[in-house]
Amino acid sequence: MTATDTGTLAGIPGYVAGTWSIDPVHTEVGFAVRHMMVSKVRGRFRTFSGEIVTGAGPLGSSVTAEIDLSSIDTGNEQRDAHIRSADFFEVEAYPTMTYRSTGVRPHRGGYILDGKLTLKGVTKDVPLTLELNGFGPDPYGGTRAGFTATAEINRRDFGVNFTAVMETGGAVVSDKVTIHLEIEAVLQP
């Protein structure tokens, strides 16, 4: 798909302007973080919501999303409980993470979605590399859209400062977190 400086619809078959709700059944909000310097732990959030507004052209679009941090799932309940604790997310005081876009711009044949991520009461600019996967009808008479987005953040920028050092000197959990989103959205009437 090709983005142009004017935000035209070249290369975006079936593009539809409108307001879309994120379909949680067909969406994944995931992340990966290096563990003990040798592997990556992957996880996802099971509870989230959001709205996408596609403008007359892609550059006029916007996104808002909210993630329930207590819904973290890394495949290990003990680890998930630790991540919910004050060492990481402190979900008792900060139950949600939010994202609100501030603009869309063309980038290398695709788009960057600029926006503000708020986690643990800290708000930072986090640009998402965005791919528009397509627009089309579903078998129920509705219209669907698909998007992929990725980003990297430093967890310490958001006050997630848990530190544990291995005997060899390496970190148990890296500071860099990779975010990966596979979004399917439903056009609202």
Side-chain angles (χ1 to χ4, degrees), residues 126-139:
V126 175
L128 295 168
T129 301
L130 178 66
E131 180 181 343
L132 281 70
N133 299 328
F135 296 79
D138 66 24

Side-chain angles (χ1 to χ4, degrees), residues 45 47 66-72 84 89-98 118-121:
F45 295 93
T47 306
E66 182 173 286
I67 298 165
D68 176 355
L69 293 174
S70 68
S71 73
I72 190 163
R84 288 181 197 109
F89 290 153
E90 196 175 353
V91 297
E92 293 289 327
Y94 306 101
T96 61
M97 173 172 42
T98 61
T118 301
L119 173 63
K120 286 188 76 173

Side-chain angles (χ1 to χ4, degrees), residues 109-188:
Y111 300 92
I112 297 291
L113 179 68
D114 291 311
K116 305 255 182 212
L117 179 70
T118 301
L119 173 63
K120 286 188 76 173
V122 177
T123 301
K124 297 279 184 184
D125 290 325
V126 175
L128 295 168
T129 301
L130 178 66
E131 180 181 343
L132 281 70
N133 299 328
F135 296 79
D138 66 24
Y140 311 105
T143 303
R144 302 243 169 189
F147 309 90
T148 299
T150 58
E152 287 187 60
I153 62 170
N154 184 319
R155 65 185 176 89
R156 292 182 185 277
D157 290 346
F158 295 92
V160 181
N161 296 319
F162 174 78
T163 302
V165 179
M166 300 182 315
E167 290 181 20
T168 58
V172 172
V173 178
S174 75
D175 292 344
K176 182 176 85 172
V177 179
T178 303
I179 298 169
H180 185 81
L181 309 169
E182 287 295 334
I183 308 294
E184 186 170 312
V186 180
L187 183 62
Q188 297 305 293

Side-chain angles (χ1 to χ4, degrees), residues 1 9-16 132-136:
M1 293 181 207
L9 307 180
I12 307 173
Y15 182 89
V16 177
L132 281 70
N133 299 328
F135 296 79

